[in-house]
C-alpha cells in the first residue's frame, strides 16, 4: 500500500501500481469523468500513469491550467489525425496547446482554405465519436528516428535527433491509425473533446525561422461542453470589436506602411500624444522616487555587447550595422536594451557605499529583430520605447529596492487601469537548457533565485513559476497581461542580476574599505509604451480616461456668434493645461455631435446664443450623456478636478 496526500491535505492509502484513473474512480473523488490529468508530486502526468510510491496526488480538471493544456493538446492530435486522413501526404510539424486553445503546423503542397477547415472539423467529429483511446509508448532513439524516417516525417526526425543525444527513450502517442511523437500528457481518449472550432489558418515558419520552410498553421479551440464553446466564441467576437489593431486604426492612433516595414508602426498625432503623456508622467513619478534621468546612445560597437554577453546570447535578435564576423572593421548594433549603456554612468568615477542605491531611469528607444511572423500591431514591434531603469545597490539593499520596484510597477499599472488583468510569473533558469542560454555558475543562480523567492514570499506575491524563462544573467519577475483574446504577454519585468557588474568591472568601496561588486536590478515601471497603448485601447475600447485622452474637450458652436465664445473658452481651457479643440466647420450640430461621439471625445460643449448670453455651456459627457446647461466655471472646475485625479 502507498499513501497519497490529496489537495485538501487528507491522506488516502491505496494499492501500489494502480493507474491514476483507477485511483480517482476507486476512492470516490467524484471527478473521474471530468479528469484531464493528474499532478504527482507536482509533475503533470497522464491518467494512465501507474502510481507506485507515496506522493502528493492532485486531480486536474478542465478548470485548471494543467487540465486545459492537456485537453487542448489532445485536441491538436485529433486535428492532426483528421488532416492526415483527408490529406495523407501532409507532413506533421508541432501541435502544442496555447493560451486559449491549440494549433498544429503542417507542411502541405495543398494550401488549406476555409473549405478545408470545414472538412477537417467534420473528420474531427468522427474521431471524437469513435472515442479512440490514446496510449503512450517509448522507443530507443535509433528506433524512433528509423520509424519517423520510414514515415517520411522529416520535422519529427529533426526533433527526435535533438533528444537522441541524451540517450533517453523517445515517447510517442498512438491514437488508432494515428501516431505522433509527443511528450504528453493527453486525455485517455478522444471522446471528451465534445465541442471544438478551427478558428484560423495562417502561415508559420518552421521553428519561427524566416529562413526555414513556411508551413500552414491551423488554430483551434475546444471545450468539454458546447455551451462553453459558444460562450467562448461570443467573447471572441466581442473582443474583435476591442482589438487595438481595429480601433487604433479607426480612431487614428497609429498606422503601418508596407514599404516602411513590419513591426515599424507610425504613431499618428493621437497615439503620439498619449505616449508623450505617459512618458512624462512616468518620468515625473520616477523622479519623486529617487530616480535620476539618463540619456544614452541608440547604438554601440559590438565590443560593448561582447562584455555584457548579449553578443553571444542575443545576436540573432539585434540589428547589426557592418560585418559581424570581420574583426578588422568596426561593427555596430542598434541597442536591444539599455543596461550596458547605463552602467557607464556608475563607471564614470569611483563609487562608494554612500552612492548606493543608484537608481537610473531612461525613456529608451530599443530595437529588436523579431521574426516577421511574430509582428502584431503595437504589441510586438521591432522598434519601441520603454520605461527602462537599473538600480545599482549593495546586497543588503536588495529586498527593499526590489519591493520599491514592484510597488512602482503596480502603482503605474493600477493608475492606468491595467493591474486587475495582470498575473505574476517567477521566471527561473533551466540548468539543462540545451542551447546553453545562461551564464554564471549553478551556485550563483541558486543564490539569486533563492533571494528572489524570499523577496516574493515576504511580499506575499502570488506567482507561477516559469522554468527556462529567465534572462541569461538572472531570474526575473514577469508581470503578465492578458489581452482581449486572453493571450498573455509580458508587460513589466523586474530582474535580479548578480553577474554583469563583475563583467563590467563595476566596484564600490564598502564601509570596511574593501572593493565589492554591486547587485543590479533591471526593471521597467510601465513597460513598452507602444504595447501599453495597445492594451489601453483594448481595455477602454478606445474611450481612454480623460487624463490620457489626446483630445479632452471639443467645443461645438451652433451659430456664428457663438464661435468667438467657443474660441475664448478654448483659450481658457488651454491655459489650464486641458487639451481642447473647436469644431467651427459649417456643418449641422447633429453631425458634429455624432462625430465627437464616434471619436470618443470625453466632453463636448455645445454653445449657442443662449449660452453666450448666460455664460454657460450645454455639457455632454461620453459616459453620462446630455448633462444640460451649466455655468462655465463649474464645468471647467469639474474637468480640472477629474483630470488631476487621473480618474478612470
Amino acid at each position: 500500500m502507498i499513501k497519497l496526500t490529496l489537495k485538501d491535505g487528507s491522506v488516502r492509502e491505496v494499492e501500489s501500481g494502480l493507474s491514476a484513473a483507477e485511483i480517482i474512480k476507486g476512492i470516490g473523488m467524484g471527478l473521474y469523468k471530468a479528469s484531464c490529468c493528474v499532478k504527482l508530486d507536482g509533475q503533470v502526468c497522464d491518467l494512465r500513469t501507474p502510481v507506485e510510491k507515496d506522493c502528493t496526488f492532485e486531480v486536474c480538471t478542465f478548470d485548471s491550467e494543467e487540465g486545459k493544456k492537456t485537453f487542448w493538446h489532445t485536441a491538436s492530435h485529433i486535428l492532426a489525425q483528421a488532416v492526415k486522413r483527408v490529406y495523407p501526404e501532409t507532413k506533421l510539424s508541432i501541435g502544442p496547446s496555447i493560451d486559449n486553445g491549440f494549433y498544429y503546423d503542417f507542411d502541405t503542397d495543398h494550401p488549406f482554405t476555409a473549405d478545408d477547415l470545414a472538412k477537417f472539423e467534420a473528420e474531427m467529429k468522427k474521431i471524437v465519436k469513435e472515442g479512440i483511446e490514446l496510449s503512450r509508448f517509448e522507443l530507443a532513439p535509433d528506433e524512433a528516428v528509423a520509424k519517423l524516417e520510414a514515415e517520411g516525417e522529416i520535422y519529427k526526425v529533426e526533433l527526435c535527433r535533438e533528444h537522441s543525444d541524451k540517450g533517453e527513450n523517445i515517447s510517442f502517442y498512438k491514437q488508432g491509425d494515428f501516431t505522433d511523437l509527443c511528450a504528453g500528457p493527453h486525455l485517455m481518449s478522444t471522446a471528451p473533446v465534445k465541442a471544438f472550432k478551427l478558428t484560423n489558418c495562417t502561415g508559420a515558419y518552421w521553428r519561427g525561422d524566416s529562413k526555414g520552410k513556411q508551413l500552414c498553421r491551423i488554430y483551434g479551440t475546444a471545450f468539454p461542453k458546447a455551451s462553453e464553446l459558444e460562450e467562448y466564441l461570443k467573447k471572441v467576437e466581442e473582443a474583435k470589436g476591442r482589438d487595438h489593431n481595429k480601433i487604433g486604426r479607426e480612431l487614428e492612433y497609429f498606422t503601418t506602411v508596407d514599404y516602411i516595414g513590419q513591426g515599424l508602426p507610425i504613431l499618428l498625432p493621437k497615439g503620439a500624444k498619449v505616449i508623450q503623456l505617459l512618458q512624462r508622467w512616468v518620468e515625473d513619478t520616477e523622479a519623486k522616487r529617487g530616480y535620476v534621468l539618463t540619456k544614452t546612445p541608440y547604438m554601440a560597437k559590438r565590443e560593448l555587447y561582447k562584455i555584457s554577453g548579449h553578443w553571444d546570447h542575443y545576436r540573432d535578435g539585434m540589428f547589426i550595422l557592418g560585418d559581424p564576423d570581420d574583426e578588422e572593421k568596426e561593427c555596430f548594433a542598434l541597442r536591444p536594451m539599455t543596461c550596458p549603456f547605463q552602467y557607464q554612468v556608475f563607471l564614470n568615477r569611483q563609487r562608494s557605499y554612500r552612492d548606493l542605491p543608484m537608481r537610473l531611469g531612461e525613456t529608451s528607444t530599443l530595437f529588436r529583430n523579431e521574426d516577421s511572423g511574430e509582428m502584431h500591431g503595437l504589441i510586438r514591434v521591432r522598434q519601441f520605447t520603454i520605461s527602462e531603469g537599473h538600480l545599482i545597490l549593495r546586497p543588503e539593499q536588495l529586498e527593499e529596492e526590489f519591493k520599491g520596484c514592484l510597488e512602482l510597477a503596480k502603482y503605474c499599472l493600477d493608475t492606468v487601469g491595467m493591474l486587475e488583468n495582470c498575473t505574476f510569473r517567477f521566471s527561473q533558469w533551466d540548468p539543462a537548457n540545451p542551447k546553453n542560454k545562461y551564464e554564471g555558475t549553478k551556485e550563483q543562480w541558486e543564490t539569486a533565485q533563492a533571494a528572489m523567492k524570499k523577496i516574493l514570499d515576504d511580499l506575499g506575491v502570488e506567482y507561477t513559476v516559469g522554468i527556462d524563462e529567465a534572462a541569461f544573467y538572472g531570474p526575473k519577475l514577469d508581470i503578465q497581461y492578458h489581452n482581449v483574446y486572453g493571450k498573455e504577454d509580458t508587460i513589466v519585468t523586474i530582474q535580479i542580476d548578480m553577474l554583469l557588474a563583475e563583467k563590467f568591472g563595476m566596484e564600490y568601496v564598502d564601509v570596511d574599505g574593501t572593493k565589492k561588486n554591486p547587485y543590479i536590478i533591471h526593471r521597467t515601471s510601465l513597460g513598452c509604451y507602444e504595447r501599453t497603448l495597445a492594451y489601453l485601447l483594448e481595455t477602454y475600447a478606445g474611450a481612454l480616461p480623460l487624463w490620457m485622452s489626446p483630445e479632452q474637450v471639443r467645443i461645438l458652436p451652433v451659430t456664428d456668434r457663438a464661435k468667438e465664445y467657443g474660441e475664448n473658452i478654448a483659450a481658457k481651457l488651454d491655459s489650464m493645461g486641458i487639451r481642447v479643440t473647436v469644431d467651427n466647420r459649417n456643418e449641422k450640430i447633429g453631425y458634429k455631435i455624432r462625430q465627437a461621439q464616434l471619436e470618443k471625445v470625453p466632453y463636448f460643449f455645445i454653445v449657442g446664443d443662449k449660452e453666450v448670453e448666460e455664460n454657460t455651456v450645454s455639457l455632454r459627457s461620453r459616459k453620462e450623456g446630455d448633462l444640460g446647461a451649466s455655468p462655465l466655471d463649474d464645468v471647467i472646475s469639474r474637468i480640472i478636478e477629474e483630470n488631476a485625479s487621473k480618474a478612470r
Side-chain angles (χ1 to χ4, degrees), residues 304-316:
L304 177 74
Y305 304 114
K306 284 186 175 182
I307 296 172
S308 67
H310 290 95
W311 196 254
D312 293 329
H313 295 278
Y314 210 82
R315 179 167 149 182
D316 290 343

Side-chain angles (χ1 to χ4, degrees), residues 605-622:
F605 303 170
I606 301 171
V607 292
D609 293 344
K610 182 179 179 181
E611 284 77 17
V612 173
E613 293 172 4
E614 298 178 356
N615 197 33
T616 61
V617 296
S618 180
L619 178 64
R620 295 212 178 189
S621 163
R622 184 180 61 199

Side-chain angles (χ1 to χ4, degrees), residues 10 43 47 64 76 141 145 162 168 184 200 207 241 272 290 314 333 366 372 391 520 591 627 640:
S10 63
Q43 180 70 38
L47 294 174
S64 68
S76 79
V145 170
E162 289 180 359
E168 300 173 355
N200 195 15
R207 315 201 88 166
Y314 210 82
L366 304 181
S372 59
L391 290 81
I520 300 171
Y591 177 82
L627 297 176
I640 294 294

